[in-house]
Amino acid sequence: MSLRKRVIEDTDLYDKRVLIRADFNVPLDDAHQITDDTRIRSTLPTINRAVDEGAKVILCSHLGRPMGKRDPKSSLAPVAKRLQRLLGKEVAFAPDCIGPSVEAMVAKMKQGDVLLLENLRFHIGEEQNDLAFSQSLAALADVYINDAFGAAHRVHASLVGITRFVKVAAVGYLLRKEIDYLEGAVANPMRPFVAILGGAKVSGKIGVIENLGKRVDKVIIGGGMAFTFIKAMGLEIGNSLVEDDMLDFARGIQEHAVSRGVKFYLPVDCVVAASREPGAETKVLPVQEIPKDWYGLDIGPASVKLFGEAVQNAKTILWNGPMGMFEVDAYARGTTSLAHAVANAYALTIVGGGDTALAVHRAGESENMSFISTGGGAALELLEGKELPALAALPDVDG
Ligand code: AMP
């Protein structure tokens, strides 16, 4: 697909103060150590381009939810350290993201220097898309580059408000890649196109199911949400996750898909447990035989085989949501086995959502997927066919 927005490679960065909005919202452990730096690594092409072009590179991001207050637990200081290692060059760290002290640091920067600003969300104006805050941020930059896909569904100052005040604004490499894969593949897929949807709830994915349902050749439903579809078929599901107010929707969407020739796959068996406590007794049973009071927590081996065969001839596979409660080893097998099947298919394979990305990583298949999205909420909104506010706010090519 062709992105109609100005992109980084068509933008003059030489000797400019280039403010890059990144998504460095990385997970940290109790000792404040980064446990997964995928989001930082994914932004390196954009940062390197700016450095190589001789820009003064200013980076900004949010981290966590400090709710407009300074909170040392949400400091971006560990990100500055990690970036320094990944870039192999010094990364200065500003103790704030706006104000005279930051402006003074920026004024001293030379070509190729990199400066990371402190957490944008230490200011309440960020999440409020406040104009004065947007203007203060914009004052730091000659050029603004948005590369924060994971936050692109938010109407925040550093993503939307700022675009009213900067002279030049463009899309970074990561944001562009995410849009190309998630929007491009869905708009113009190589067929057969298979969507695999899982996770806890139908209600969280109504828009995705509706939008993809119109475009795919096959839909595979697993995870907790499958039980709403199974109950809608009149079967007993015990204590498994269910949304009773979604039964009509589930029935309707399945009937509609089937009437249009879309193949619709649900689990045929599942792993059930007597309770959700660790070490509970488990059994593998056909979905017709789920005992009252038991919990369906993973798809079973027959479903893995069925789903695996359904993806085998696919040319495009889009996967969002785990097949079971994969965080617990006893219920991870369905998701892991499907990760192997997807990775082995001769297809463009796109993985969206933090849980699914983690499950694919644990299965050791990250390298074997075509693309793994760095955004959860933003990816879902794109898959729903919605326009991302941060992208909409950027100028068109001729703009
Ligand atoms: P979501 O955020 O909707 O994609 O849901 C992801 C969560 O769904 C994960 O934390 C899984 O543990 C959970 N999940 C998936 N399948 C099941 C299931 N059968 N029973 C309970 N939780 C599930």
Side-chain angles (χ1 to χ4, degrees), residues 183-263:
E183 208 175 76
V186 171
N188 201 6
M190 299 241 289
R191 295 186 180 278
F193 177 19
V194 182
I196 307 171
L197 300 171
K201 288 183 172 174
V202 180
S203 55
K205 296 196 181 150
I206 294 176
V208 178
I209 298 173
E210 282 178 338
N211 188 41
L212 290 182
K214 285 185 256 167
R215 298 161 196 275
V216 296
D217 302 294
K218 302 183 187 185
V219 181
I220 295 174
I221 306 262
M225 71 154 98
F227 294 101
T228 298
F229 285 86
I230 292 168
K231 183 166 178 183
M233 285 164 32
L235 299 179
E236 168 69 53
I237 53 147
N239 274 338
S240 310
L241 278 182
V242 68
E243 289 170 284
D244 284 316
D245 54 346
M246 286 285 132
L247 291 173
D248 286 343
F249 171 82
R251 207 175 292 119
I253 201 94
Q254 183 173 1
E255 280 169 10
H256 188 64
V258 171
S259 73
R260 290 175 41 254
V262 175
K263 311 279 186 295

Side-chain angles (χ1 to χ4, degrees), residues 199-201 205 223-224 227 241 276 296-297 322 324-327 355:
K201 288 183 172 174
K205 296 196 181 150
F227 294 101
L241 278 182
R276 295 181 64 163
L297 296 175
M325 214 168 80
F326 77 102
E327 296 91 340
D355 279 327

